[in-house]
Amino acid sequence: DRVELAIPLVGGIQRRRATTNFIESLAISYGSGVALLDALPASTATVANSLIRKECSRAAAALEAGLTLDAALDQLEHLDVG
């Protein structure tokens, strides 16, 4: 998965797809009344790239440690949340 992210065109597509899947799933879950910490694992599971999926899991840990969602997502190197 790391190799795919390093390929110029493919890596960008992978990042955008992972970001879209993760954020849309998180928004739908949270908008439906699911607590943010409960919604994160399900949203993380929608990410196909294992490297990005691990980063998303770290965001959940950062939230549990007290960071805001924005701060937790800013720490993710490969997720395109700019």
Side-chain angles (χ1 to χ4, degrees), residues 2-75:
R2 184 178 300 275
V3 173
E4 288 179 358
L5 292 176
I7 300 170
L9 181 62
V10 174
I13 292 170
Q14 287 281 332
R15 282 184 186 83
R16 285 188 293 281
R17 182 180 342 150
T19 301
T20 299
N21 290 347
F22 178 73
I23 297 298
E24 283 184 354
S25 175
L26 188 60
I28 290 168
S29 297
Y30 187 70
S32 298
V34 177
L36 189 56
L37 286 175
D38 294 332
L40 276 168
S43 299
T44 298
T46 66
V47 177
N49 183 288
S50 64
L51 182 65
I52 298 174
R53 192 169 48 247
K54 287 177 189 173
E55 285 189 352
C56 292
S57 294
R58 287 197 304 269
L63 278 175
E64 289 175 353
L67 287 180
T68 64
L69 179 61
D70 185 46
L73 294 180
D74 278 345
Q75 295 180 350

